[in-house]
């Protein structure tokens, strides 16, 4: 396959600003879905459907028949996160640019570049060695509602011998991974109201409650300085990884100091210090504040006591925690920690249960073999800190869900200057080509 041609095709996909969380980009999301649909048609899919939404449809496809061969369901997402802060991009987020063998664009690694890789690996094989099914959604970055509703109505869409999800990264350059857990997510807005309207801070300051101050106090009650989340019941279901698993993580090419210096690039790490950094990232739940709204934030100075303040927060959940239970726990904790003179409310925006996958199905060995044949090293088992809401639903019919990917840990997902290294893409196409071939060899499982 001509690499320049492939790069042009991927760049066309990346130029579409399919930001699912911003309604201004609804038409762009639709265009990205159409782009995926057209690719599936070129691959010879017989049945292509855009399902569940006019603007953020799930793209469904059924590949050409491979009689007697197993069925592989490919999942991915064509939507992306907002590109801001725009000023920090070296080249604009939706003008894909190659520098030093890296392709820079929003969605390059998460997940358009990886979806592209899985599709081109099919083309590279000639006659398809397995029966492909596709579910490529457009709302992953906003909680996957359309796909959840579709699977609730039509659960048979996930019927397959295996599900392949390439939406993550190697653990280090040269070290491909397969993931046994994903964290879940509970995203909420906490709003504090202290008075009917804003008040003059001279006339009222000293006696009137201040919404921002009350919100800050509430937030610091929810999580301590040492990283402990103080929501009653929150850690109840959390289990520590086994000793074997913790020992295996010690052998991964991961150095806490490098993680701080090269990736986080801060003055120090925070969190529950008695656990290793990997355990904090992969096996413990979190509480983060994403932004605080309200009061006066314009230029200049305004002396006012704000009547309302809102924080956007989220919690990452780990296996055995349940989204519904955590929602109840947060609502109860906010009620309990807010003083009487404050009206505090919680609104839940979206969320996901955590996922846990057994890595025992023979298809995992085939993926390992495919990576080994291309890179000289097979997959290491790891866990993921991020979330893919629909994974538990993809696993619900019993098929093994293979969580892997071709990204690198420093791809800057969701951040300025997101990139995909071209070597990762070219290797990836070869790896998945090989994987499909191996999967097809032994007939249905
Ligand atoms: N591809 C990521 C998930 C991911 C990132 C897994 C890094 C493993 C390592 C996915 O696109 C993502 O960002 N998901 C969101 C989901 C949320 C908005 C419901 C996330 O994790 O924030
Ligand atoms: Mn993704
Ligand atoms: Mn993402």
């Amino acid at each position: 396959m001509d690499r320049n041609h492939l790069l042009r095709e991927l760049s066309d996909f990346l130029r579409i600003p399919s930001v699912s969380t911003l309604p201004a980009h609804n038409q762009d999301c639709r265009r990205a879905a159409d782009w995926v649909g057209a690719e599936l048609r070129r691959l010879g899919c017989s049945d292509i459907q855009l399902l569940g939404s006019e603007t953020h449809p799930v793209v469904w496809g059924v590949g050409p028949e491979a009689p007697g061969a197993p069925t592989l369901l490919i999942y991915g997402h064509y939507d992306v996160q907002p590109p801001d802060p725009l000023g920090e991009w070296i080249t604009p987020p939706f003008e894909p640019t190659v520098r030093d063998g890296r392709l820079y664009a929003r969605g390059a690694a998460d997940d358009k570049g990886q979806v592209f890789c899985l599709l081109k690996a099919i083309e590279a094989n000639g006659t398809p060695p397995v029966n492909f099914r596709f579910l490529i959604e457009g709302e992953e970055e906003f909680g996957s509602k359309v796909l959840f509703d579709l699977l609730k109505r039509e659960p048979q869409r996930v019927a397959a011998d295996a599900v392949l999800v390439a939406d993550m990264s190697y653990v280090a350059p040269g070290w491909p991974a397969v993931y046994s857990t994903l964290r879940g997510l509970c995203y909420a807005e906490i709003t504090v109201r202290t008075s009917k309207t804003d008040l003059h801070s001279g006339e009222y300051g000293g006696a009137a409650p201040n919404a921002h101050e009350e919100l800050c106090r509430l937030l610091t009650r929810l999580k301590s300085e040492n990283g402990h989340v103080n929501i009653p019941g929150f850690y109840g279901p959390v289990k520590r990884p086994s000793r074997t698993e913790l020992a295996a993580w010690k052998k991964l090419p991961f150095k806490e100091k490098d993680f701080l210096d090269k990736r986080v690039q801060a003055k120090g790490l925070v969190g529950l210090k008695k656990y290793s950094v990997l355990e904090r990232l992969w096996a413990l739940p979190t509480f983060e504040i994403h932004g605080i709204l309200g009061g006066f934030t314009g230029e200049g100075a305004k002396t006012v006591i704000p009547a309302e303040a809102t924080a956007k927060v989220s919690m990452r959940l780990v296996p055995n925690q349940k989204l519904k239970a955590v929602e109840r726990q947060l609502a109860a904790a906010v009620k309990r920690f807010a003083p009487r003179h404050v009206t505090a409310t919680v609104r839940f925006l979206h969320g996901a249960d955590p996922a846990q996958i057994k890595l025992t199905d023979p298809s995992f060995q085939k993926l390992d073999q495919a990576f080994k044949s291309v890179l000289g090293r097979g997959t290491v088992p790891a866990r993921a800190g991020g979330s893919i809401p629909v994974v538990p639903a993809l696993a619900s019919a019993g098929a093994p869900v293979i969580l892997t990917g071709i990204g690198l840990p420093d791809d800057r997902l969701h951040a300025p200057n997101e990139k995909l290294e071209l070597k990762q893409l070219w290797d990836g196409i070869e790896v998945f080509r090989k994987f499909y071939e191996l999967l097809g060899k032994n007939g249905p499982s």
Side-chain angles (χ1 to χ4, degrees):
M1 287 198 286
D2 175 35
R3 289 183 173 180
N4 284 321
H5 182 74
L6 289 173
L7 254 180
R8 271 197 304 277
E9 286 185 323
L10 174 54
S11 299
D12 287 342
F13 192 20
L14 290 170
R15 259 192 292 274
I16 307 170
S18 46
V19 182
S20 53
T21 201
L22 302 174
H25 288 288
N26 283 357
Q27 277 320 307
D28 297 316
C29 290
R30 174 59 195 236
R31 273 167 57 218
D34 289 336
W35 189 95
V36 173
E39 275 303 296
L40 295 186
R41 200 156 302 120
R42 286 198 328 115
L43 284 175
C45 284
S46 56
D47 179 19
I48 299 157
Q49 300 169 24
L50 270 57
L51 300 164
S53 156
E54 285 297 315
T55 53
H56 301 72
V58 175
V59 186
W60 164 261
V62 177
E65 232 182 288
T71 298
L72 178 67
L73 173 64
I74 290 186
Y75 165 86
H77 62 95
Y78 60 77
D79 64 321
V80 299
Q81 288 268 334
D84 57 286
L86 284 175
E88 288 186 24
W89 285 79
I90 295 167
T91 49
F94 298 109
E95 291 175 25
T97 309
V98 176
R99 289 193 298 278
D100 296 335
R102 302 179 173 111
L103 176 58
Y104 289 85
R106 170 59 85 235
D110 185 12
D111 179 37
K112 286 174 172 171
Q114 305 216 45
V115 167
F116 183 83
C117 176
L118 297 184
L119 297 183
K120 291 302 153 180
I122 299 175
E123 217 170 303
N125 249 335
T127 22
V130 296
N131 290 289
F132 288 103
R133 300 278 182 280
F134 302 90
L135 276 175
I136 314 293
E137 68 155 317
E139 239 192 355
E140 193 274 341
E141 304 288 11
F142 192 57
S144 300
K145 184 167 185 323
V146 174
L147 181 52
F148 270 118
D149 289 349
L150 174 70
L151 295 181
K152 215 169 277 163
R153 286 195 309 273
E154 304 179 32
Q156 77 283 4
R157 299 251 181 207
V158 304
D161 295 293
V163 184
L164 176 61
V165 180
D167 192 18
M168 10 263 289
S169 67
Y170 291 19
V171 290
W175 290 74
V178 63
Y179 292 84
S180 67
T181 69
L182 281 169
R183 290 199 284 193
L185 187 74
C186 174
Y187 203 111
E189 282 176 2
I190 302 174
T191 297
V192 157
R193 181 111 211 155
T194 47
S195 54
K196 192 146 192 294
T197 63
D198 291 359
L199 300 165
H200 189 294
S201 67
E203 276 185 296
Y204 298 94
N210 178 311
H212 263 282
E213 181 190 328
E214 299 292 351
L215 179 62
C216 289
R217 218 173 349 253
L218 177 58
L219 292 171
T220 53
R221 280 193 184 154
L222 289 169
K223 180 175 161 186
S224 310
E225 212 175 320
N226 67 3
H228 189 268
V229 181
N230 298 316
I231 300 171
F234 190 64
Y235 289 101
V238 177
K239 279 209 195 76
R240 290 204 66 189
S242 70
R243 268 201 224 155
T244 338
E245 194 172 11
L246 289 171
W249 292 354
K250 287 214 172 115
K251 298 202 182 114
L252 294 177
F254 178 90
K255 297 252 176 324
E256 295 188 0
K257 181 149 185 356
D258 282 355
F259 176 73
L260 170 62
D261 294 343
K262 301 198 178 126
R263 288 184 49 205
V264 181
Q265 300 180 52
K267 286 185 182 165
L269 296 177
V270 298
L272 294 169
K273 295 273 159 69
K274 69 174 177 176
Y275 304 103
S276 73
V277 169
L278 281 184
E279 188 168 356
R280 280 181 255 164
L281 297 174
W282 288 353
L284 283 163
T286 66
F287 178 93
E288 298 291 344
I289 303 164
H290 303 294
I292 299 184
L293 300 100
F296 180 69
T297 55
E299 246 179 87
K302 177 185 181 189
T303 46
V304 70
I305 299 177
E308 189 177 277
T310 296
K312 286 182 180 281
V313 304
S314 80
M315 287 145 285
R316 293 281 167 178
L317 316 180
V318 297
N320 300 320
Q321 284 184 299
K322 284 269 168 289
L323 170 62
K324 282 288 161 235
V326 169
E327 286 183 353
R328 279 196 295 273
Q329 290 166 353
L330 177 69
V334 164
K335 214 168 180 187
R336 176 158 156 189
F337 294 153
R340 265 175 204 282
H341 59 272
V342 159
T343 308
T345 50
V346 184
R347 186 164 86 99
F348 294 101
L349 298 192
H350 65 64
D353 278 321
Q356 188 155 27
I357 308 285
K358 278 200 218 78
L359 307 180
T360 47
D361 188 87
S363 53
F364 289 99
Q365 286 155 30
K366 292 177 183 173
L367 182 74
D368 180 65
Q369 234 181 307
F371 269 112
K372 218 172 259 161
S373 76
V374 175
L375 301 179
R377 183 157 28 224
T379 52
V380 288
R383 296 200 193 193
S387 314
I388 303 175
V390 85
V391 164
L394 295 177
S396 63
V401 180
I402 302 167
L403 301 168
T404 186
I406 59 162
L408 289 178
D410 67 350
D411 282 345
R412 290 182 290 273
L413 315 182
H414 300 192
N417 304 307
E418 178 181 350
K419 54 93 175 159
L420 176 67
E421 312 225 344
L422 292 177
K423 176 181 175 3
Q424 298 295 111
L425 176 61
W426 310 138
D427 284 353
I429 292 176
E430 191 44 32
V431 167
F432 290 113
R433 189 200 65 73
K434 184 84 191 168
F435 174 61
Y436 301 153
E437 185 184 284
L438 290 170
L439 210 57
K441 275 213 172 112
N442 303 344
S445 47

